[in-house]
Amino acid sequence: NYAFQYCTSLTTVTLPNATTIGTYAFYYCTSLTTITLPKATSIGNYAFQYCTSLTTVTLPNATSIGHQAFMDCTSLTTVTLPNATSIGDKAFYNCTSLTTVTLPKATSIDNYTFYNCTALKAIIHITNSTEFEYNGQEQKPTFEIKNVKKIEYDYTEGDEFFQENTNYELKYSSDPNSDSDPDLINAGKKSVTIQFISDELKYIGSVTVDFEITKKDISELEVEVKVDDEEVEDAGHTYDDTEWNPEFKFRKGENYYDLVKDTDYTVEFPEDMKNAGNKTVKIKASGNNCTGSKTINLTIKPKNAKNLNIPKKIEHTYNGGECSSKFDIFDEDINDEDGFSKKLVEDTDYKVTATGDMINVAGEEKYFTIEYIGNYEGTASAKVNVTINPKNAKNLNIPKKIEHTYN
């Protein structure tokens, strides 16, 4: 602070490594004409106030300008602050020669900032950004160009803005060597030229603002399963005996990214995407618009078997063993290779527990518990009439000779 205050004979300042300029640092240096501060990020309050010989200010890395920092710099004609986001109150108050101000990233401009800047016609303010991340959509800076003559107290006061195609035109470019339509979707460096066309602004000529669309890191995005190209559900699917090949949707917060499969990313599915279980899927960036990769876990959920029909009657021919092949359970929602309803397989799709004698009982109602497994889930209780038919004995061998001892 106060480092060169009242150094009235100082004409040039070059500080290649200075990052902060303190309060009153060059206050009232009335002979100062040139400043070179390539790394300065913060300009303190009153830092250059009353530097009446200063004509041009370019601070490429400054992000904040303190209040009254350049107040009463009456010879100042041009100010370029490409990275400044915050401009303090009265920062350029009474800079009567100021004609051009470039503030592409300013988000906060305080009261009286440009008060009595009588030569200044317009302030070009970029209302969104000059840096964008690729999202598959067209992106470009948007502007408000305000009539400075209407600004006295608050920068936001009033509503008189210069109008596109009446006071100025915008021409976007993604290739300085081509007049073709600009590419405002894909990653790369771009620019927009503001050409002033109305009589009151023609003297300015044009102003070019550079902007960039950078590659998007896929690992930073949330991935959702896309249904019917529009709706989004959780990363799950219910078994239906077909290979599941989901499409994906990407978002960050509430903002969705229109990434294109096989152009912006590729998908590696595990070998089995049909049967129930957890599946690990890897999404990898491809092309020139994305970087990184992301692994997600998907689930094929077992089908709820509560609506499957259980037969009410079973017939079995006595063979000395327990009745087997007890049930024929079919899933009518799924067809087999021959076009018939899929038949569930015992010990693969379900298990059966019986109560009572399943060897000798004939024509009785028995109770069963069916536990669905594998690609199906749930349990069911069934009361079934079991018929164990006597075995036809016509083919049994009858001995031709019997020996017996008299008793």
Side-chain angles (χ1 to χ4, degrees):
N1 298 336
Y2 307 97
F4 299 96
Q5 186 181 23
Y6 293 111
C7 290
T8 55
S9 297
L10 183 66
T11 60
T12 302
V13 171
T14 301
L15 298 171
N17 294 308
T19 58
T20 301
I21 306 301
T23 301
Y24 290 101
F26 297 94
Y27 182 89
Y28 218 92
C29 293
T30 54
S31 298
L32 184 63
T33 60
T34 303
I35 58 173
T36 303
L37 303 167
K39 295 185 179 179
T41 59
S42 176
I43 308 300
N45 300 334
Y46 316 103
F48 295 93
Q49 186 173 356
Y50 294 116
C51 292
T52 53
S53 298
L54 189 63
T55 59
T56 300
V57 171
T58 301
L59 298 169
N61 288 299
T63 58
S64 65
I65 308 299
H67 69 84
Q68 298 184 213
F70 295 93
M71 181 176 175
D72 289 304
C73 292
T74 53
S75 297
L76 188 61
T77 61
T78 303
V79 173
T80 303
L81 302 169
N83 288 296
T85 59
S86 175
I87 312 298
D89 66 278
K90 299 183 181 179
F92 298 97
Y93 186 103
N94 205 42
C95 292
T96 54
S97 299
L98 188 61
T99 60
T100 302
V101 178
T102 303
L103 302 170
K105 295 184 179 179
T107 57
S108 174
I109 300 176
D110 284 350
N111 300 332
Y112 294 108
T113 298
F114 298 101
Y115 185 84
N116 206 39
C117 294
T118 54
L120 191 61
K121 294 287 187 181
I123 297 174
I124 303 170
H125 181 206
I126 296 177
T127 56
N128 53 358
S129 180
T130 56
E131 294 181 359
F132 305 91
E133 288 183 326
Y134 173 78
N135 65 4
Q137 305 164 18
E138 184 174 280
Q139 299 181 94
K140 59 187 179 183
T142 55
F143 300 90
E144 64 175 22
I145 302 179
K146 195 155 191 177
N147 187 344
V148 179
K149 293 299 183 182
K150 299 297 180 181
I151 300 173
E152 294 182 355
Y153 171 68
D154 185 347
Y155 174 75
T156 61
E157 182 181 296
D159 59 358
E160 184 164 337
F161 295 90
F162 292 117
Q163 301 298 311
E164 185 177 358
N165 299 324
T166 299
N167 304 108
Y168 65 92
E169 295 176 339
L170 299 177
K171 183 178 180 181
Y172 292 90
S173 173
S174 56
D175 183 353
N177 299 316
S178 174
D179 291 328
S180 60
D181 291 339
D183 174 8
L184 302 179
I185 296 177
N186 294 304
K189 295 182 181 298
K190 328 283 183 181
S191 67
V192 54
T193 299
I194 306 168
Q195 181 69 51
F196 292 94
I197 57 176
S198 62
D199 291 340
E200 61 187 316
L201 298 173
K202 279 184 177 178
Y203 78 96
I204 300 176
S206 63
V207 175
T208 297
V209 176
D210 295 324
F211 64 99
E212 184 175 7
I213 299 174
T214 60
K215 294 183 178 183
K216 183 59 195 172
D217 186 346
I218 285 179
S219 67
E220 298 175 351
L221 298 178
E222 296 296 321
V223 182
E224 298 174 331
V225 175
K226 185 166 61 173
V227 179
D228 297 331
D229 296 325
E230 294 294 338
E231 299 177 3
V232 175
E233 64 175 19
D234 62 6
H237 172 75
T238 299
Y239 169 76
D240 62 3
D241 201 43
T242 63
E243 288 288 331
W244 184 38
N245 293 299
E247 298 292 330
F248 298 103
K249 207 165 188 177
F250 300 84
R251 69 175 176 84
K252 187 176 183 180
E254 296 182 355
N255 298 318
Y256 282 89
Y257 289 66
D258 293 339
L259 305 189
V260 180
K261 184 179 178 182
D262 298 327
T263 298
D264 297 323
Y265 67 94
T266 58
V267 181
E268 293 181 2
F269 289 109
E271 183 175 345
D272 178 12
M273 283 297 288
K274 181 172 75 171
N275 294 303
N278 295 323
K279 314 297 177 181
T280 300
V281 178
K282 189 165 187 178
I283 299 174
K284 293 182 177 180
S286 63
N288 297 317
N289 291 318
C290 296
T291 61
S293 62
K294 191 175 185 73
T295 299
I296 62 172
N297 294 315
L298 303 181
T299 301
I300 298 179
K301 295 175 284 192
K303 182 177 179 178
N304 192 318
K306 66 180 180 179
N307 294 322
L308 300 185
N309 291 323
I310 300 171
K312 301 301 183 183
K313 183 177 180 181
I314 295 175
E315 290 196 10
H316 170 67
T317 299
Y318 173 81
N319 61 4
E322 187 173 273
C323 174
S324 61
S325 302
K326 303 179 185 71
F327 294 98
D328 287 334
I329 303 176
F330 294 91
D331 185 344
E332 296 180 357
D333 296 328
I334 298 175
N335 292 332
D336 61 19
E337 294 179 355
D338 298 320
F340 299 104
S341 294
K342 176 188 174 182
K343 182 178 180 181
L344 275 61
V345 179
E346 188 173 355
D347 295 329
T348 298
D349 297 317
Y350 67 92
K351 292 182 178 180
V352 177
T353 302
T355 302
D357 182 3
M358 289 295 295
I359 299 176
N360 300 302
V361 176
E364 292 187 3
E365 287 186 338
K366 305 296 290 182
Y367 289 92
F368 297 86
T369 299
I370 300 165
E371 178 188 1
Y372 291 99
I373 59 175
N375 290 319
Y376 295 86
E377 65 177 358
T379 58
S381 296
K383 185 170 67 173
V384 180
N385 188 289
V386 179
T387 300
I388 300 181
N389 297 315
K391 184 174 182 179
N392 190 323
K394 67 178 182 179
N395 293 322
L396 299 183
N397 290 323
I398 300 172
K400 302 300 183 182
K401 183 178 179 181
I402 297 176
E403 289 190 8
H404 173 67
T405 299
Y406 173 76
N407 60 6

